[in-house]
Amino acid sequence: MTIQTEEELVNSFVNYTHEKNNKSTILYREVQTGYGRPDVLHIEYNENVLNKRKMSYHGPLSTLAAHMMTYLAERRWVSMEKVSKQFDIKNGKLLIILEDLLSRGLIVKNEHLIKSKPRNEILAIKRLGVYEAKLYQWKEAINQAERNLWFTNDSYILMPIKRGKLKNNIYNECKSRGIGVGFFNEETGLDILLKPVRSGVINTPFLWTINEELWKEQLYEYN
């Protein structure tokens, strides 16, 4: 069957990915990243990290808390005074946020000093694969995929199979932008023509926001 619409392309790709991948993956559609809504977000995660914290979902992480985790994840011990100045917030507001992060098991506190726990203990996400799907408008798909590089290195365009000069043009443009190319067909599945120039997650507020949402998904499995 020939794919007629972008919705059919996304639906077929999501169904295919669900069937091909193990249970340590989650797919979201049109997630608000803070700068657009990519068609598909494919998350690969570490089950061991999830299992250790499987009952610690405390609701969505606030925007300020997500930014604070991004800040702390790059540092060792930091004084509360320095964090307060960094985010221009009063001590009372800071204490509320820190209490939330402590209750989630994301940070440790020693008197007036705080730091993030090691990432391998609290960050379950191993990979954020993001796909922008188009049937024909490949230049628009490339522009969208390039914008997603702010929160992940694994950014792809997703299209039905292309051939000849058009295929080469898409390949060359994506290579110059550092993004990947995936051609999809319902019969043959996903063909990765080009991988992104880099791979791996990037420390951003979006990473920590999505990371905490994984525990909600895990709670649904255990209930």
Side-chain angles (χ1 to χ4, degrees), residues 138 142 164-179 181 193-194:
W138 59 276
I142 290 173
K165 184 178 180 180
L166 177 57
K167 177 181 177 180
N168 292 333
N169 288 342
I170 293 172
Y171 176 93
N172 290 332
E173 186 63 23
C174 286
K175 186 176 181 179
S176 71
R177 307 271 196 107
I179 60 177
V181 180
L193 178 67
L194 175 68

Side-chain angles (χ1 to χ4, degrees), residues 33-38 130 132 134 139-153 155-157 177-179 202 204:
T33 66
Y35 190 30
R37 293 176 178 268
V130 61
E132 295 288 1
K134 293 286 185 238
K139 292 182 179 179
E140 182 179 347
I142 290 173
N143 288 336
Q144 291 174 337
E146 187 177 39
R147 286 198 295 268
N148 294 329
L149 290 174
W150 77 268
F151 72 87
T152 182
N153 289 312
S155 184
Y156 290 80
I157 68 167
R177 307 271 196 107
I179 60 177
I202 300 173
T204 67

Side-chain angles (χ1 to χ4, degrees), residues 2 9 36-37 57 68 74 93 167 169 199 213 215 222:
T2 303
L9 174 60
R37 293 176 178 268
Y57 179 69
M68 199 170 292
E74 298 291 343
K93 181 70 174 291
K167 177 181 177 180
N169 288 342
S199 183
E213 289 303 298
W215 274 268
Y222 282 95

Side-chain angles (χ1 to χ4, degrees), residues 34-218:
Y35 190 30
R37 293 176 178 268
D39 290 308
V40 180
L41 184 65
H42 181 194
I43 300 172
E44 297 178 13
Y45 62 86
N46 186 323
E47 277 195 89
N48 291 331
V49 177
L50 271 185
N51 290 335
K52 289 178 182 178
R53 293 180 58 206
K54 67 184 180 182
M55 298 308 294
S56 62
Y57 179 69
H58 292 261
L61 199 63
S62 71
T63 300
L64 190 52
H67 279 82
M68 199 170 292
M69 278 304 304
T70 306
Y71 175 80
L72 293 173
E74 298 291 343
R75 292 162 176 81
R76 295 187 177 180
W77 288 103
V78 184
S79 70
M80 291 175 57
E81 180 182 6
K82 186 174 182 178
V83 175
S84 179
K85 290 181 179 179
Q86 174 69 27
F87 291 93
D88 192 25
I89 56 176
K90 294 182 179 180
N91 192 56
K93 181 70 174 291
L94 175 62
L95 289 174
I96 292 174
I97 297 172
L98 294 181
E99 182 59 35
D100 179 40
L101 297 179
L102 283 166
S103 68
R104 295 171 185 268
L106 293 173
I107 65 171
V108 292
K109 184 174 179 290
N110 184 5
E111 296 183 352
H112 68 288
L113 298 176
I114 55 175
K115 72 173 181 177
S116 167
K117 285 186 176 180
R119 290 196 200 185
N120 61 1
E121 295 180 11
I122 60 176
L123 184 63
I125 295 175
K126 298 192 297 184
R127 177 179 176 271
L128 285 176
V130 61
Y131 296 85
E132 295 288 1
K134 293 286 185 238
L135 293 183
Y136 308 107
Q137 298 170 309
W138 59 276
K139 292 182 179 179
E140 182 179 347
I142 290 173
N143 288 336
Q144 291 174 337
E146 187 177 39
R147 286 198 295 268
N148 294 329
L149 290 174
W150 77 268
F151 72 87
T152 182
N153 289 312
D154 294 290
S155 184
Y156 290 80
I157 68 167
L158 179 69
M159 302 189 74
I161 294 174
K162 307 297 180 185
R163 294 182 172 84
K165 184 178 180 180
L166 177 57
K167 177 181 177 180
N168 292 333
N169 288 342
I170 293 172
Y171 176 93
N172 290 332
E173 186 63 23
C174 286
K175 186 176 181 179
S176 71
R177 307 271 196 107
I179 60 177
V181 180
F183 288 152
F184 182 78
N185 179 282
E186 286 188 311
E187 295 180 358
T188 59
L190 180 65
D191 176 24
I192 298 298
L193 178 67
L194 175 68
K195 291 184 178 182
V197 67
R198 288 180 292 274
S199 183
V201 298
I202 300 173
N203 181 34
T204 67
F206 180 70
L207 174 67
W208 293 103
T209 298
I210 291 294
N211 187 67
E212 287 304 286
E213 289 303 298
L214 293 182
W215 274 268
K216 178 171 65 176
E217 303 288 343
Q218 193 77 342

